[in-house]
Amino acid sequence: MELIREVLPSAHRIGALANETDPFAKPFLAQTGSAARSVAWRWNRIMSRPSEPLEPVFKTIADKRIDAVIIQGSMLSKEFAELALNHRCRLSR
């Protein structure tokens, strides 16, 4: 959260993208949600599976007007990075 605050000081809507099939998704979401609330940011949980198309994830990010996204490590892929660049998203991991 500190990195997001430094890079995007105007950010106040944060998304946390978690892998629905990963057993570590629950603690990841709990930690990111707690951290976002501690700095009074709006926090949005975004669930997906690595096997699902990623385009709907970016639609959700745009629809909710999310300023920054924290991505669970098991969701990172070349396709995700390419889509993020195409959508001009700022990513944090």
Side-chain angles (χ1 to χ4, degrees):
M1 296 299 165
E2 290 298 321
L3 178 60
I4 292 171
R5 186 182 292 199
E6 286 181 33
V7 175
L8 293 169
S10 64
H12 61 277
R13 283 185 228 87
I14 306 302
L17 173 61
N19 180 346
E20 197 173 289
T21 63
D22 189 327
F24 295 104
K26 189 173 182 177
F28 167 76
L29 291 169
Q31 287 181 332
T32 56
S34 177
R37 286 186 297 275
S38 74
V39 293
W41 285 345
R42 291 185 198 148
W43 179 78
N44 295 275
R45 180 177 98 166
I46 306 164
M47 302 296 289
S48 188
R49 294 172 183 247
S51 60
E52 293 177 345
L54 290 171
E55 196 63 47
V57 169
F58 287 91
K59 180 169 178 9
T60 298
I61 292 168
D63 289 349
K64 293 186 177 195
R65 297 180 13 201
I66 294 173
D67 299 315
V69 178
I70 300 169
I71 305 160
Q72 186 177 7
S74 60
M75 287 301 297
L76 291 174
S77 67
K78 181 180 177 187
E79 179 190 6
F80 192 94
E82 289 170 352
L83 282 168
L85 289 172
N86 289 341
H87 287 269
R88 295 183 163 199
C89 293
R90 301 184 198 287
L91 304 176
S92 175
R93 182 179 112 168

